[in-house]
Amino acid sequence: MFHSDATKAYGGTLCEYTLVDVDAVVRIPVKRGIPTVNLQNAAAMPCSVWTIYIALFDKLRIEKDRCIFIDGVTNIQGRSAVQLAHNMGLFVLATCPDDDMENVELLGADVVFDLHSHSSVATEVLQITNGFGTDYYLAVSPDANVAAYMDVVRFGGSLCLTSGQLAPTTESLLERQLSVHYVSLDSLYSNALTRRHLRFIGEQVLDLYRKSAFTIDSVAMPFDKAGEALNNVAAGESVYRSIVIAITK
């Protein structure tokens, strides 16, 4: 069901039906009568990829052959960011937990650092870029250490955060003339002026998926396991997979 005014919508998570503004609904393309994306992966895309699309293409405005530092690859959004940046032809530097470094390399990262090696990462990034620094810095989780790594961004470079707000302890923002951006899907949906852009974003993400720019690792859970699935996520489990709750009659 659709409603023309999202401010009057009711319902919510894990409902059989909920009202959604038509501007936020994206039609799955069909080829020869067969959907080009299965429903499970399509349901996972908004949370796992839409935010990253906005961060990379609308906020940072990434360009081929540039360098990006993706900090805090600890969830499915971080993995999407690495894949999309690699697909766009960027040199990708990333931080992630030490037990996941090999997997992040397989996703397309050129250099991967241990997320907790704060004392050496900034120095190594500057060495790799010959002292120039990276063009972009994308912080993709609360585990990112933005204040500690701002100096890895070149003069006039850009930062984007998908969680929290930046509270720098140095004058790097002004000294280096850095641009700072934030992304929130909730804010986009709640504002009528920005909500109409969501369909375009969804269509672009679907197109990139069909072109194999990224993959989604999703798992469907039955409705009676929804509580267990949410508890697992809260405990830090299954963070690299998008969980889709299947509500069936």
Side-chain angles (χ1 to χ4, degrees):
M1 293 189 297
F2 307 113
H3 199 288
S4 61
D5 186 355
T7 62
K8 298 178 181 179
Y10 58 88
T13 305
L14 306 183
C15 291
E16 290 89 346
Y17 299 96
T18 187
L19 297 177
V20 180
D21 191 281
V22 68
D23 285 342
V25 177
V26 181
R27 186 183 295 276
I28 297 175
V30 175
K31 185 176 183 179
R32 297 177 182 175
I34 301 175
T36 57
V37 182
N38 66 52
L39 289 177
Q40 180 175 312
N41 284 341
M45 284 186 191
C47 289
S48 59
V49 190
W50 286 19
T51 299
I52 297 303
Y53 178 91
I54 297 169
L56 292 176
F57 296 97
D58 291 343
K59 300 297 185 177
L60 295 177
R61 300 189 179 187
I62 59 174
E63 297 179 4
K64 183 180 179 181
D65 296 327
R66 298 296 182 103
C67 181
I68 187 170
F69 179 55
I70 303 176
D71 187 17
V73 181
T74 60
N75 52 32
I76 189 68
Q77 287 189 343
R79 293 189 169 213
S80 298
V82 170
Q83 292 180 81
L84 286 174
H86 171 74
N87 180 73
M88 288 300 296
L90 276 72
F91 186 80
V92 181
L93 307 169
T95 69
C96 71
D98 59 355
D99 60 354
D100 199 44
M101 294 173 69
E102 183 176 348
N103 291 326
V104 174
E105 285 183 352
L106 292 175
L107 291 174
D110 295 281
V111 182
V112 183
F113 305 98
D114 180 359
L115 178 68
H116 303 293
S117 300
H118 298 154
S119 60
S120 61
V121 171
T123 299
E124 292 184 54
V125 169
L126 289 174
Q127 289 177 343
I128 291 171
T129 59
N130 295 318
F132 183 76
T134 65
D135 299 286
Y136 319 108
Y137 179 161
L138 175 59
V140 290
S141 82
D143 299 301
N145 196 337
V146 183
Y149 293 151
M150 282 191 299
D151 288 343
V152 307
V153 187
R154 67 169 175 80
F155 181 87
S158 300
L159 295 82
C160 186
L161 286 71
T162 63
S163 177
Q165 294 184 337
L166 180 62
T169 56
T170 69
E171 297 297 324
S172 291
L173 285 178
L174 296 177
E175 292 173 353
R176 303 173 74 84
Q177 295 294 294
L178 304 180
S179 300
V180 181
H181 308 272
Y182 300 94
V183 179
S184 169
L185 277 187
D186 288 342
S187 298
L188 281 175
Y189 183 79
S190 62
N191 189 310
L193 294 176
T194 55
R195 187 167 56 243
R196 58 191 173 87
H197 296 291
L198 288 175
R199 179 183 294 177
F200 172 79
I201 292 166
E203 290 171 346
Q204 296 304 304
V205 169
L206 277 175
D207 187 54
L208 287 168
Y209 180 79
R210 299 202 318 270
K211 292 178 179 177
S212 301
F214 67 94
T215 59
I216 287 184
D217 187 4
S218 63
V219 57
M221 301 286 289
F223 183 75
D224 59 358
K225 297 291 185 181
E228 177 183 334
L230 293 174
N231 287 335
N232 289 342
V233 171
E237 302 175 17
S238 303
V239 292
Y240 298 126
R241 308 183 75 183
S242 290
I243 298 176
V244 178
I245 303 300
I247 302 176
T248 58
K249 295 290 187 180

